[in-house]
Amino acid sequence: MLSVFTTTIKADDDKYPTLLSNGNLVNKSPGSATWHDPAPKPCYLFALVAGKFSVLEDSYKTKSGREVDLKIYVEPHNIDKTRFAMDSLIRSFEWDENRFGLEYDLDIYMIVAVDDFNMGAMENKGLNIFNSSYVLAKPETATDRDFINIESVIGHEYFHNWTGNRVTCRDWFQLSLKEGLTVFRDQEFTSDLHSRSIKRIEDVNNLRTFQFAEDAGPMKHPVRPDSYIEMNNFYTFTVYEKGAEVIRMIHTLLGEVGFQKGMDLYFMRHDGNAVTIDDFVASMSDANDFDFSGFMNWYSKSGTPEIDISTDYSAKNNTLTVKIKQNSKYSFMFPVKFALFDKKGSEIESGVLVIDEKEKLFKFNDISSKPIPSWLREFSAPVKLSTDLTNNQRIFLVGNDSDAFNRCDSAQNLWLSFILNPEKIDEDLFFEAIEKVLKTSKDRSLICEILTPPSERFIHQQVEEINVFDIHEKRESAISKLTTRLKPLLLDTYSILGSDNSYNITPESVGNRALRNYCVYHLAKDGDFDLAYKHYKNANCMTDKIAGFNALITKNNRYKDDVVADFYDEFKDDVQVMDKWFSSQSISPSTTVEDVKKLMTHELFSFNTPNRLRSVVGVFSQNYTNFHNNNGYKLFTDIIIKLNKSNPQIGARLVSVYNHWRRFSPELKSLQEIQLNKILKTKNLSNDIFEIVQAALK
C-alpha cells in the first residue's frame, strides 16, 4: 500500500538542531520541524534524522526550470570532504535527464552520512541515508576507486527516485525490478562518465567472482525467488548484479532506441504504482513489438547457464558454420555479440546472434580463410562459455581483438591455463603477448587488467576440490615468473609515467596511477623495497600512498614496522583512512591469526562499528593462506556467534564464507563443518544466520 506522509519531529533543540524527514519542509521552528511528501510511497522509504550536523548546500535547476535545493549533512569535522559527493549528485541529476529524460520531483534532495551503517546507502525518498565511506572524499584521504564508487553509489540512490520510489515493487519478490534495473542504470552512468571498457571488465569480474559462486552454492535462487526466511538475506548478488545483467540483455536485444521506448512506456503506465517484473517486461515488449516469452526463464530459474560454441570452417565452400548449444536443464534466450577476424587482425564480420533454442546453427558465407572468432563480446550474456578456441588463438585475441573486454577475458583464460595447466600453454608466446601489450597499449588501466591473473577466489570456482595453499602457490609462482621476465620493463614503465602533481580522475590519470602502482607492488614482491618506500614517502594522493603502504607490508622488510606506525600517526583521526589501514594489514600475506587478534584489541577497533569489523574480520577471511586453519575458523565462528546478538545482518554476511565448505580439501572441509554445526547449535540463533547455515549443511 502506498501512502502520502506528513511527519512532525519534536526534539531538544540544543541536542538535535537538525530534524529531517522525507519530502518538502513545510514548517520549522526551534525544536520542531514538519515535512510533507506529496508522492505516495511504501513505508520502507520513510526516514527520519535528528542530530548535530554540518551541511554543504548547493542547488540544481531542472530542464523544466524548477530549482532544487541540494544538501549533504555530515559530522562537522568532515565537511571539507563533501564537495565531490555534491558534484556527483549534480552529475546524477544531469545524466538522468539527458539519458532517460527523468526529472526530480521535490523541492529538496538531502543526503545524510553516518559511520555506523550496515549497508552502503538507502534510497529513502528525498532523504538518502549513506554509509560515510560512500560520501566523504578528498585526494589526500580517498583513492581513485573510492571516488568512482562514491559517484556510482550516489548516482544509484538518486536513480532510485524513479526506478524504485515513484515506480515501486508490488512485493519483495520483485526486488530486482528496482535493484537490478537501478544497478544497470548506475553502471551506465559510470560508463558514460569514465572508461566504459574498464567498467565492464570490473563489473563482469565482480559477477563471475561473487554471483556465479552464489549460483553454485546453497543459497542460490532465481532473480525473482519463490520464498525466503529472512528478508535481509535476499539482498544478494543475484538480485542486484545478475538482475542488472538481465536488464542489459534486454538492452542489447532491443538496442538503445528500443530500450528507451520501453522505459518511456513503463513510466507512462506505472508512475505512482507498485508493480511486478512482468509489468516491466511487458512495457519493453509492447513498445517494440518484441516477444520476450522465451526470455522469462532468466527471472524464474536459478543457476548459471552453460554454453558451448563450436565452429567448422570449409575452405572448399568458404563457409563458417557455428553451433551454439545450451547445456543447462532449461532453455534461455540471450544475445551473443561476436566478431570474426582474419590472420592480420582485420574484422571480417560482427553483430549479434540471438539464441532462443537449445541448439542453434549459424552459417557465414564468403569467408576466404579460416577466421579467429571473438565470442560473447562485452560479456553480452551472464553465462559460462566453452569454445573450441586454442590457446594460440586466445593469444592472438589479446593483441588484436577490438573489444577491450574480450582482450582482457582472453588473457584471463590464458592466465587460468598457465596457473592450473602450465603444460598446455606456450609460456614464451603468452608472456611475449603480455609484453607487447605493456609496450604498445595506450589504455594503462587495460594493461593492468591484462597483467593481473584471476583472483584466488575466482580460481577456487574452476576446480573440483579447493586446495587453498596449492592454488595460492601456483598463482604466486605464475606472477613471479612474469615479474622476473618483465622487471626491466616494469622499472622503465614506472620511471616514464612519473608522478602527476595535479589530481583528477580522468581515465588517463586513473590508468597512469594504476599502472605505476602495479609496478611498485610487484617490484616490491620481487624485493625492491627501496622503490616502494620512496613511492610511499613521495605520494601526493591516497591512491599512491596506500599502494606504497601495501607494497611495503606484503613481506617482512626493514621499512614495514616504520610505515605501519607512520601511516597511523598521520591518519589516526580519519575514520575512513583507518579502515584502509586495518584492511591492508588484515589482507597482507604476512598477517597471521594472532596478528588479527592483536588488531582487534587496538584502541581504534570497535566491534560495534560495521565498517571497522568488515575491514578487519571480513577482509581477513579473504586472506586465504592465513585464514584457512583451525585457529582462523575458531576466531571467525566466535565472532559470528557474538554478532548473532549484536548485529545478525553482518553475522550473516560473514558466515557465508563457509557456503562452499564441501568443496575444500578433506582437512579444511572437516574443520569448516565443525564450525557450521557449532553455529547452528547457538541458542536463539537469528533467522539471518540460521537460514544461511542451515542451507550450507543440507
Side-chain angles (χ1 to χ4, degrees), residues 630 633-634 636-638 640-641 644 655 657-659 661-662 668-685 689-690 692-698:
N630 194 42
Y633 295 160
K634 282 184 175 180
F636 202 67
T637 295
D638 288 345
I640 290 167
I641 292 173
N644 182 61
V655 80
V657 166
Y658 293 137
N659 275 351
W661 66 275
R662 297 180 189 275
L668 295 183
K669 176 181 175 180
S670 176
L671 291 173
Q672 290 185 54
E673 185 179 18
I674 290 169
Q675 300 306 317
L676 282 166
N677 280 302
K678 182 179 178 181
I679 296 168
L680 191 63
K681 293 175 183 176
T682 302
K683 289 184 180 179
N684 300 317
L685 192 62
I689 297 174
F690 170 78
I692 295 173
V693 173
Q694 183 194 46
L697 287 170
K698 278 186 178 177

Side-chain angles (χ1 to χ4, degrees), residues 144 148 194 445 503-515:
D144 295 346
I148 294 172
H194 300 282
S445 292
Y503 182 86
N504 59 69
I505 56 168
T506 62
E508 183 181 4
S509 293
V510 170
N512 286 348
R513 282 191 292 272
L515 186 53

Side-chain angles (χ1 to χ4, degrees), residues 76-263:
H77 64 274
N78 286 323
I79 194 66
D80 66 325
K81 295 193 284 186
T82 54
R83 187 63 246 176
F84 181 81
M86 179 65 78
D87 292 340
S88 297
L89 182 59
I90 292 170
R91 286 191 287 271
S92 302
F93 273 70
E94 291 174 339
W95 183 85
D96 217 18
E97 289 183 342
N98 293 329
R99 180 78 184 263
F100 286 94
L102 300 173
E103 284 193 18
Y104 186 60
D105 53 346
L106 296 174
D107 299 330
I108 189 170
Y109 190 96
M110 299 170 285
I111 290 173
V112 179
V114 294
D115 287 337
D116 295 342
F117 199 49
N118 279 352
M119 299 169 286
M122 177 60 200
E123 69 269 20
N124 316 87
K125 177 74 178 186
L127 177 58
N128 293 175
I129 312 300
F130 268 68
N131 190 311
S132 57
S133 62
Y134 291 110
V135 172
L136 306 177
K138 59 182 182 180
E140 296 83 5
T141 61
T143 65
D144 295 346
R145 174 53 49 209
D146 293 331
F147 277 103
I148 294 172
N149 284 346
I150 286 168
E151 184 179 62
S152 173
V153 176
I154 283 176
H156 180 98
E157 305 309 328
Y158 172 72
F159 303 146
H160 267 311
N161 187 62
W162 279 91
T163 50
N165 293 5
R166 286 187 62 148
V167 184
T168 195
C169 301
R170 187 194 67 184
D171 53 70
W172 287 118
F173 299 112
Q174 317 300 324
L175 184 60
S176 194
L177 175 65
K178 76 181 185 76
E179 294 301 350
L181 178 55
T182 305
V183 169
F184 169 78
R185 276 157 49 72
D186 81 54
Q187 289 175 347
E188 286 296 290
F189 174 58
T190 301
S191 297
D192 284 346
L193 268 60
H194 300 282
S195 168
R196 177 167 289 275
S197 58
I198 295 302
K199 176 60 176 170
R200 190 63 186 139
I201 291 167
E202 291 172 348
D203 288 340
V204 175
N205 283 345
N206 189 48
L207 182 84
R208 283 171 162 172
T209 302
F210 299 101
Q211 196 283 317
F212 280 20
E214 193 167 88
D215 263 350
M219 290 294 290
K220 72 176 181 181
H221 60 83
V223 172
R224 178 166 56 184
D226 299 318
S227 64
Y228 61 88
I229 294 176
E230 173 50 56
M231 186 62 218
N232 290 317
N233 292 336
F234 184 34
Y235 284 76
T236 63
F237 291 102
T238 299
V239 166
Y240 280 68
E241 277 71 24
K242 187 175 182 177
E245 293 299 317
V246 175
I247 298 293
R248 186 169 297 280
M249 284 190 289
I250 294 174
H251 181 276
T252 301
L253 290 167
L254 298 178
E256 172 69 7
V257 173
F259 186 81
Q260 292 292 351
K261 286 169 61 181
M263 291 290 285

Side-chain angles (χ1 to χ4, degrees), residues 4-22:
V4 173
F5 284 68
T6 300
T7 306
T8 298
I9 312 166
K10 295 183 181 293
D12 185 317
D13 193 50
D14 291 330
K15 293 181 179 179
Y16 307 103
T18 302
L19 302 173
L20 310 174
S21 194
N22 312 90

Side-chain angles (χ1 to χ4, degrees), residues 177-401:
L177 175 65
K178 76 181 185 76
E179 294 301 350
L181 178 55
T182 305
V183 169
F184 169 78
R185 276 157 49 72
D186 81 54
Q187 289 175 347
E188 286 296 290
F189 174 58
T190 301
S191 297
D192 284 346
L193 268 60
H194 300 282
S195 168
R196 177 167 289 275
S197 58
I198 295 302
K199 176 60 176 170
R200 190 63 186 139
I201 291 167
E202 291 172 348
D203 288 340
V204 175
N205 283 345
N206 189 48
L207 182 84
R208 283 171 162 172
T209 302
F210 299 101
Q211 196 283 317
F212 280 20
E214 193 167 88
D215 263 350
M219 290 294 290
K220 72 176 181 181
H221 60 83
V223 172
R224 178 166 56 184
D226 299 318
S227 64
Y228 61 88
I229 294 176
E230 173 50 56
M231 186 62 218
N232 290 317
N233 292 336
F234 184 34
Y235 284 76
T236 63
F237 291 102
T238 299
V239 166
Y240 280 68
E241 277 71 24
K242 187 175 182 177
E245 293 299 317
V246 175
I247 298 293
R248 186 169 297 280
M249 284 190 289
I250 294 174
H251 181 276
T252 301
L253 290 167
L254 298 178
E256 172 69 7
V257 173
F259 186 81
Q260 292 292 351
K261 286 169 61 181
M263 291 290 285
D264 291 343
L265 182 60
Y266 175 63
F267 293 125
M268 185 183 74
R269 283 179 173 176
H270 302 296
D271 187 16
N273 296 316
V275 298
T276 68
I277 285 168
D278 301 286
D279 294 322
F280 175 79
V281 176
S283 295
M284 289 291 164
S285 178
D286 294 346
N288 293 277
D289 193 25
F290 191 98
D291 184 7
F292 278 102
S293 57
F295 187 81
M296 297 308 290
N297 275 346
W298 285 107
Y299 285 108
S300 61
K301 308 302 180 185
S302 62
T304 307
E306 297 183 2
I307 312 300
D308 284 332
I309 300 182
S310 57
T311 58
D312 181 33
Y313 177 72
S314 170
K316 180 180 178 181
N317 299 317
N318 288 345
T319 61
L320 178 72
T321 303
V322 178
K323 180 169 74 174
I324 301 181
K325 181 181 179 183
Q326 301 190 49
N327 295 322
S328 305
K329 182 178 179 181
Y330 304 100
S331 181
F332 293 84
M333 177 188 206
F334 58 94
V336 174
K337 289 187 177 182
F338 79 97
L340 305 177
F341 295 94
D342 63 22
K343 292 181 180 179
K344 294 181 179 179
S346 298
E347 191 174 291
I348 302 170
E349 193 162 347
S350 64
V352 179
L353 306 176
V354 178
I355 313 304
D356 52 8
E357 301 171 16
K358 273 280 196 176
E359 188 173 303
K360 200 162 184 179
L361 292 177
F362 299 89
K363 184 172 283 187
F364 299 91
N365 300 312
D366 301 320
I367 307 295
S368 58
S369 62
K370 186 177 181 178
I372 299 168
S374 171
W375 301 119
L376 210 67
R377 309 182 94 203
E378 299 176 18
F379 200 65
S380 57
V383 301
K384 291 181 179 178
L385 177 64
S386 296
T387 73
D388 55 5
L389 283 168
T390 66
N391 281 336
N392 282 356
Q393 287 176 318
R394 294 189 190 280
I395 289 171
F396 173 87
L397 291 173
V398 170
N400 295 279
D401 202 326

Side-chain angles (χ1 to χ4, degrees), residues 47 209 393 499 519 558:
T209 302
Q393 287 176 318
S499 60
C519 295
R558 65 192 179 99

